Amino acid sequence: MTEARASSRGADSSGRQETTLRSTIDTESLAEARRLIGYDYRAARSTIEVSADNTRDYANYIGSNNRMYLDPAYARSSRWGRPLAPPTIVGTSIIAPGLRGVQWIYGGARWRFHRLFGPGDVLAQTGRLVDAEAKSGRAASSMIMQKGVTSCVNADGETVVETEVYTMRIPRKRASSGGLNYAKRETTWTVGELDGFAERLLAQRRLGRGPEIRYWDDVDVGESVDEVLCGPLRLSDIALTRGTVVYGIIGGGRDENGGYSYMLDHYRRHPAHSYENPETGVTEHPHRGHWEQYMADEVGMPGIYDIGYQRLGWLCRVITDWMGDDGRLRALEGWLRRPNVVGDVTYVSGVVTEKRLADGVGTVVCALSGKNQHGEETVRGSAEVELLARGTDTEQLP
């Protein structure tokens, strides 16, 4: 295995170190990654206490004003008889063990929602690595894609949500031939453009279908899902992702959650998780490319970039607004296609691609897509939704 070794000392008493970085992704790298298949990933383990507070926070974070999440009294009068949580609030943990010093980039996820859940539920989340394979793409000549699965189980031992999570592993630029190859760019807007975005964001609050039933019978293949504006992306959006999802307050797992002596201990145990700030000399986490230009450059991003969970949350917001209170999201997948950097706006829309009816249950499949201000697709996905068919006795439905 070819490696660029800056130091073999590991961390010093301050936690500062120069870690071993891989200069290539090769057959030995792939063998190392595959050796960990079946590994029970400690960082994915989490007890998720779904509350009215974190449900509200997550709904606000994805831009949803759905009353099923935000108004308990209203939700109790619905078909479901209880408040619900946005389904993608859980199952977001990155599962990417091994490959010391190789950057992880969130690639996407595929959820299956087996049971409804909401405030008051306590879910036990676990995760494991199930596959690793070599890939190449437009932005990186070589990478390893790691596939993990998470499972969220309720207090009765019933599986509520299962997720497949995909993570790209790419050497950083400090290693020769490392990093992505995106050209740097900055986004600026005029006051008039920003005012226009603000007006549209406020108007979008009326897009949710709410209690008006969207019947399966009335949906046609080729029908559009209303477009929603998300953005411009701000550093505060990224900070909310870090605090709301990644730090495990909701469903991102419990790794690297702490400060000071906790992080010193963490970096000593996992030196490849640390990176020295060239300006201060302080050891920090390479995750900081989400809010610091230097690390974004080291990863090869075009600028300070988002945490990808949020874009998948936007897909969830768009489809749950479209289906209405009586719809049920059964599956959702989303794949990150290009970076979303600070200042970017994203236009998320969809189209109905399939519909079927079985045992009184109407199912609709929608393709979803998000494009930035340059017309580049930055996120792509699909959703499977159950809708009521006319004349159906809801009490007989599962």
Side-chain angles (χ1 to χ4, degrees):
M1 186 189 315
T2 305
E3 294 184 338
R5 185 179 298 274
S7 172
S8 59
R9 293 182 297 109
D12 63 20
S13 60
S14 69
R16 193 178 335 172
Q17 52 83 53
E18 292 287 344
T19 190
T20 298
L21 300 180
R22 297 182 182 278
S23 58
T24 59
I25 294 292
D26 54 25
T27 55
E28 292 186 30
S29 306
L30 181 60
E32 177 187 340
R34 293 190 63 79
R35 178 178 58 82
L36 296 169
I37 289 175
Y39 176 69
D40 180 13
Y41 196 46
R42 182 179 65 248
R45 298 178 201 156
S46 183
T47 299
I48 303 166
E49 299 182 24
V50 184
S51 68
D53 289 338
N54 58 33
T55 294
R56 181 192 62 246
D57 290 347
Y58 185 82
N60 291 338
Y61 157 74
I62 63 174
S64 174
N65 67 328
N66 194 318
R67 294 179 70 187
M68 294 298 298
Y69 312 143
L70 301 176
D71 187 337
Y74 172 89
R76 281 192 287 272
S77 69
S78 73
R79 169 190 173 191
W80 310 112
R82 60 168 298 183
L84 302 178
T88 52
I89 198 173
V90 299
T92 58
S93 181
I94 285 178
I95 299 178
L99 300 176
R100 287 169 55 95
V102 179
Q103 187 73 19
W104 51 96
I105 305 290
Y106 190 69
R110 179 182 289 118
W111 283 267
R112 290 294 305 180
F113 305 110
H114 300 289
R115 288 175 171 78
L116 298 171
F117 65 96
D121 287 323
V122 178
L123 306 178
Q125 177 178 277
T126 57
R128 58 190 173 87
L129 183 71
V130 298
D131 198 8
E133 58 181 329
K135 294 278 189 179
S136 62
R138 175 183 62 244
S141 58
S142 63
M143 69 179 83
I144 289 177
M145 182 72 78
Q146 291 177 294
K147 174 185 174 181
V149 294
T150 67
S151 177
C152 293
V153 177
N154 65 19
D156 295 323
E158 300 167 325
T159 300
V160 177
V161 180
E162 292 180 299
T163 315
E164 298 174 6
V165 185
Y166 294 79
T167 307
M168 298 176 287
R169 304 298 300 276
I170 300 169
R172 300 167 194 146
K173 285 192 171 180
R174 189 181 294 187
S176 62
S177 75
L180 299 166
N181 58 17
Y182 288 105
K184 291 181 67 172
R185 63 179 175 85
E186 295 182 357
T187 301
T188 58
W189 302 101
T190 66
V191 171
E193 288 170 326
L194 291 171
D195 287 344
F197 294 149
E199 290 178 9
R200 181 167 175 179
L201 289 168
L202 293 174
Q204 286 176 175
R205 293 179 174 177
R206 299 189 294 271
L207 286 180
R209 192 168 182 90
E212 182 184 357
I213 298 175
R214 185 180 294 279
Y215 286 103
W216 176 88
D217 315 62
D218 301 336
V219 174
D220 296 317
V221 172
E223 179 179 328
S224 296
V225 175
D226 290 331
E227 182 183 85
V228 169
L229 167 69
C230 301
L233 181 68
R234 306 163 299 172
L235 280 173
S236 53
D237 296 319
I238 296 170
L240 283 169
T241 313
R242 180 72 174 163
T244 303
V245 182
V246 179
Y247 264 176
I249 295 173
I250 301 179
R254 299 297 299 180
D255 199 16
E256 305 135 22
N257 186 1
Y260 308 113
S261 61
Y262 175 94
M263 292 311 297
L264 177 63
D265 288 341
H266 178 81
Y267 290 151
R268 285 175 172 175
R269 293 194 306 271
H270 307 284
H273 280 197
S274 61
Y275 214 76
E276 186 174 299
N277 186 321
E279 296 180 357
T280 66
V282 175
T283 302
E284 297 181 1
H285 196 281
H287 197 77
R288 74 179 195 268
H290 292 295
W291 55 83
E292 186 177 271
Q293 187 63 53
Y294 172 80
M295 195 64 203
D297 292 343
E298 183 65 19
V299 177
M301 289 291 187
I304 295 173
Y305 58 104
D306 71 346
I307 299 176
Y309 307 123
Q310 187 174 38
R311 275 181 275 170
L312 304 194
W314 292 341
L315 300 185
C316 177
R317 174 264 177 100
V318 167
I319 197 63
T320 51
D321 276 358
W322 177 83
M323 71 186 189
D325 296 347
D326 290 273
R328 182 169 178 178
L329 184 61
R330 281 295 192 175
L332 179 73
E333 61 182 62
W335 312 105
L336 305 185
R337 309 289 294 172
R338 288 177 178 271
N340 182 37
V341 301
V342 169
D344 281 355
V345 294
T346 303
Y347 301 92
V348 182
S349 61
V351 63
V352 177
T353 58
E354 180 184 350
K355 57 180 296 190
R356 55 185 183 268
L357 182 66
D359 300 324
V361 177
T363 298
V364 171
V365 178
C366 297
L368 303 170
S369 177
K371 296 182 179 180
N372 65 17
Q373 66 273 15
H374 304 295
E376 300 167 331
E377 188 177 51
T378 64
V379 61
R380 176 188 300 172
S382 66
E384 183 177 306
V385 176
E386 287 182 1
L387 299 177
L388 293 177
R390 292 188 182 277
T392 300
D393 182 354
T394 58
E395 292 185 2
Q396 301 303 313
L397 294 177

